[in-house]
Each structure stands twice: as structure tokens, then as C-alpha cells.
Amino acid sequence: MFGDGFKKTEEETKGVVLNIEHFHIHDGEGIRTNVFLKGCTLHCPWCCNPESIYPKPQIAQHRNLCTGCGKCIEVCSLKCCIRTADGNVITDFQKCTACGKCTEVCPYGARELYGKEMSVAEVISEVEKDSFYFLNSDGGITLSGGEACMQPEFASEIARAAHRRYIPVALETSAAVPWDHLWKVVSEVDEVLMDIKTTQLEQIDKKIGKKYTKIVLNNLNQLRKRGIITTLRCPIVPGYNDTTEHISGIAGIAKDADIERIDLLPFHQYGKYKYSSIGMKYEMEDCAEMDRKKVEEMAEELKKRGFTVSIGG
């Protein structure tokens, strides 16, 4: 279908993909196929996909499914799978190199490999299965993560390969990356869904990295100067940014950047089980899910200011 040069590039350009999910409807126009790339510059305490943070493949152990049969112990040459005195099997995540052998022999699905290396050609082959739905819904693919712009060459080449097949591309990003990384991907996509975690610099920098707000707002300003179609996506988290001051700040940012659409994303607990499965501590264990009514009030306030607003994407 394409010249040998394009084919070679698509086969040789590789990155780490967390997963590819079909039939999303909240991450861009129409029906979407979401390509989640591994790796993130932020460690938000409320993250519902903690398995996307680490840039390389990693093993997860779902303890509720483990029967202690020991098959993983037999194949683990690094002795990362350990039987405890009470007969249970645990994982030494510090030793684990994510070879995946334990996932292949586990009869109960208690072990899972998060992430694998794929070529652009392999990604596009999976994406093209949904071409009919894209054509009939004005949909396409959405590059997400983690943070897709942590793999700028891979992400941008996926976008180029999709466009060669007339498939629209959206990018979901926190924009907490160097501008040259962000622009390498943004320059190849059709729309940008950009997270604004909070407008309170001193609050968030203590939690997810110094100078976060400054980097993001500088990148947003660069997008505005270039006329990039952008939607703001704003997680609303109890105790962090569920305030009228935050909503006013979001409105100000959107107005300054000539942005018309804002998505409010209420905090939920759907991903909390993942933390223990990859050996991470979950800081939001006792946090209540965001009250829907309060988020609806926030949405109405933004609508009064002239913005198009959705809840949940």
C-alpha cells in the first residue's frame, strides 16, 4: 500500500505500549481506539492507572486470584516469586525484570504483564480493525498513557501512520513534558485533550513534581499561539481542587487560551486495586469518590461563562 520507506519505518520504530482499547466514546470525536503508552512524568496520588507510570513493562500479581500453586516459582530464575511461611506466594518487585514467564504458566490469571514492546506497524494493524467505526462516526485513534509524549518519536510515527490510512488522531496529554517533546507529537495530530490538574501551584507541586503548573501553562500558551484545537480535561478531586476558586482559575486559563470546551473528570476509586498488584502504595484509599452533584454545579458555573462542558469526558 505504501512505499518501502514508510513500511520500513513503521516496522522499525518501536515503543512500549500498555494496551490498546477499542470503542471509547469520551476521548475525542466519534468512536475511538485508545492506544495507551507506558511512562508518565507525573505521579498523581489519584491516578487510576498506576501501571502506566513506569516506562517499562512490569509484572502485576493479583493476590485475590492467586491460589499459591507455585508454578510461577518453578519458572522464575531470578527467584522473584517467593513462598512465605504461611504458604502464600508473593513477588519481589525490586528483582523482577518482567520477563513474563510467570504469566505464561499461571493457570488462574493471577499474574499479568503490563506493557510490551510493539512496532508502529503492529499498533496500526490492531487499530485498523476499527476503520469501519471511524468512518461512520467521525472517530479515530487517541494516543494516551501514561504520557504519550514521553515516547515522542514512537507516538508521532503512530500518528503519521494513521494519517497515511486516513485515520484521525487525537492526543491526550498532561503537557508536563519539554516543549520539543510535546510539539513533536502535537504537530502530527488533529486535536489535543490537555489535562489541567490544578491551578494551585503551591498545592500541586508538593504532590506531583516541582514547576508542574509553570511547564503546563507555558506549553498551553505555545499551543494557543499555533492555533491548535485544544480541549481542557480537569480531574476534580476532593480535598485537592474541588473548589470554586479552582473553577474560576480553569475558566481564566481557558479564556486566555481561547479554549471553548472543558471536560470535568470526577475522582473515582476504580483503579485502587491495581496499586497493591504492582507493589505501590495508594495514598487515596480513604478518599470518598467525588460527589456528582457538586461536579454538576461546577459544570453549570462554567457553562454560564460561555464554555461547552461535559462531565466524564
Side-chain angles (χ1 to χ4, degrees), residues 158-169:
I158 292 173
R160 285 191 286 269
H163 282 153
R164 285 194 282 271
R165 294 158 175 83
Y166 304 100
I167 299 173
V169 185

Side-chain angles (χ1 to χ4, degrees), residues 74-141:
E74 296 172 5
V75 299
C76 183
S77 60
L78 296 179
K79 302 189 184 305
C80 306
C81 303
I82 305 166
R83 188 176 300 281
T84 61
D86 58 7
N88 292 320
V89 176
I90 61 173
T91 304
D92 186 337
F93 292 106
Q94 297 300 316
K95 286 184 179 180
C96 182
T97 60
C99 68
K101 292 180 180 178
C102 61
T103 66
E104 295 170 2
V105 299
C106 180
Y108 304 105
R111 292 182 170 272
E112 183 176 1
L113 182 62
Y114 283 136
K116 65 176 180 178
E117 185 179 80
M118 296 182 70
S119 68
V120 170
E122 290 172 320
V123 172
I124 289 298
S125 176
E126 183 66 22
V127 166
E128 282 191 290
K129 295 176 181 178
D130 296 332
S131 292
F132 173 82
Y133 302 102
F134 302 154
L135 184 63
N136 287 277
S137 70
D138 293 325
I141 72 170

Side-chain angles (χ1 to χ4, degrees), residues 47-51 268-276 282:
C47 181
C48 61
N49 293 308
E51 76 280 17
H268 57 72
Q269 290 282 11
Y270 299 156
K272 67 179 182 179
Y273 73 92
K274 299 178 182 178
Y275 281 80
S276 60
Y282 184 43

Side-chain angles (χ1 to χ4, degrees), residues 11 23 27 37 45 81 84 181 213 231 269 272 285 303:
E11 291 175 347
F23 304 113
D27 303 304
L37 305 188
C81 303
T84 61
H181 287 194
T213 306
T231 297
Q269 290 282 11
K272 67 179 182 179
E285 183 75 36
K303 289 177 182 178

